[in-house]
Amino acid sequence: MTQPLPRTPGVELLDVHRLSLVETAAPRLSPDERAAMNHLWEEAVLANPSLFDGPVVACASLGWEGPHSLVVSWVRTTFRHHVLRRVMGSAAWLPSLFVAVVQPADDGRLLVGRMSRVTVAPGRWQLPGGSMEPPQGDEPLDVAALGRHAARELVEETGVDTSPEDLSLWLVTRGATGNVGVLFSAPSRPASFLRARFAALPAAEEDPEFDRIALVRSPAELGGPLVDYLEPIVRRCQRSGQITHMA
């Protein structure tokens, strides 16, 4: 039997060994909620014309079904649904479900990227990754699908081409606003290789999602805003020995 996961303040890091994903129905919007959502989305697009109301997965609930065994209930929606978080009292708003990759360098530092001006959060530092899209046809949304999407995000944003089979489920995060991230760890690569792969991207990518990358041991090394999970993730890597100090 699944036990609902209670909310706690701040960012939560959930140690997960088994992850199940179950599709459920999206909450119904009242006429007022739909009108407010459409109005806020139109305003957002005026401010940032690069926004696209494409299909996306949202997280309906989280629950434990055993030690380190997490169940994620998810729904099909579009990006405009996320603006409902700004509608006071709306019960139809659902947090996003995204994937991210923990990519270490061979000297122990962690690769992070800064979102470019064409993205929804310009200037924000985060791990390579992005929101999940619903599966097509009869394809399942499972850990393998999440891993494939994480590998695509990694190569698209950083130029680092890693097989999904080489990514390992690491942990699940739940942010202060409820957004749920499934994090995969990647094999370490030479720092020079990581920088070279990213440097080769602009020639093929006119509007990259990252306008800059950095290799860090601490979020304090970065200037500008950080995604909420980044600082606790770096601390976790430090404690586990994944990020070490160079001699």
Side-chain angles (χ1 to χ4, degrees), residues 101 103 111-113 127-129 150-163 186 189-205 208-213:
V101 179
Q103 174 63 69
L111 186 151
V112 296
L127 297 176
R152 286 197 299 272
E153 293 283 350
L154 180 63
V155 70
E156 289 174 2
E157 295 178 348
T158 71
V160 179
D161 192 359
T162 299
S163 170
R189 301 288 193 107
S192 58
F193 172 84
L194 296 175
R195 294 190 183 280
R197 296 305 299 165
F198 181 74
L201 272 181
E205 188 74 26
E209 291 201 41
F210 287 165
D211 61 13
R212 180 181 170 189
I213 64 165

Side-chain angles (χ1 to χ4, degrees), residues 7-208:
R7 286 300 309 273
T8 58
V11 177
E12 301 168 81
L13 304 184
L14 309 173
D15 290 303
V16 175
H17 299 161
R18 181 175 180 271
L19 181 65
S20 301
L21 296 107
V22 179
E23 184 173 6
T24 189
R28 298 186 63 178
L29 301 182
S30 70
D32 287 344
E33 285 176 318
R34 187 170 298 279
M37 177 184 70
N38 291 336
H39 175 70
L40 289 169
W41 177 255
E42 290 168 3
E43 286 186 339
V45 171
L46 284 175
N48 186 352
S50 64
L51 294 179
F52 172 64
D53 189 28
V56 70
V57 168
C59 180
S61 66
L62 296 178
W64 294 114
E65 63 174 0
H68 304 292
S69 183
L70 188 67
V71 177
V72 177
S73 295
W74 63 275
V75 303
R76 299 170 189 262
T77 185
T78 67
F79 278 100
R80 76 171 58 210
H81 191 97
H82 293 322
V83 300
L84 278 172
R85 75 179 68 188
R86 294 163 53 191
V87 178
M88 186 174 297
S90 173
W93 175 76
L94 295 175
S96 64
L97 177 66
F98 66 92
V99 295
V101 179
V102 176
Q103 174 63 69
D106 58 357
D107 60 17
R109 291 178 293 173
L110 190 65
L111 186 151
V112 296
R114 187 176 68 179
M115 299 290 278
S116 72
R117 58 179 178 79
V118 300
T119 64
V120 70
R124 187 182 70 189
W125 289 93
Q126 62 179 57
L127 297 176
S131 299
M132 278 301 304
E133 297 180 3
Q136 300 293 320
D138 295 330
E139 293 181 6
L141 183 62
D142 54 17
V143 173
L146 298 183
R148 290 192 296 270
H149 188 68
R152 286 197 299 272
E153 293 283 350
L154 180 63
V155 70
E156 289 174 2
E157 295 178 348
T158 71
V160 179
D161 192 359
T162 299
S163 170
E165 288 72 26
D166 291 331
L167 299 179
S168 301
L169 176 65
W170 189 45
L171 54 76
V172 172
T173 67
R174 182 161 61 172
T177 60
N179 292 336
V180 174
V182 180
L183 272 58
F184 292 85
S185 62
S188 65
R189 301 288 193 107
S192 58
F193 172 84
L194 296 175
R195 294 190 183 280
R197 296 305 299 165
F198 181 74
L201 272 181
E205 188 74 26
E206 184 177 350
D207 292 315

Side-chain angles (χ1 to χ4, degrees), residues 10-13 110 127 170-171 173-176 183 219 226-240 243:
V11 177
E12 301 168 81
L13 304 184
L110 190 65
L127 297 176
W170 189 45
L171 54 76
T173 67
R174 182 161 61 172
L183 272 58
L226 313 176
V227 72
D228 61 357
Y229 65 75
L230 189 56
E231 186 169 350
I233 286 298
V234 174
R235 288 201 304 267
R236 171 68 70 92
C237 289
Q238 289 173 322
R239 289 198 300 270
S240 68
I243 297 179

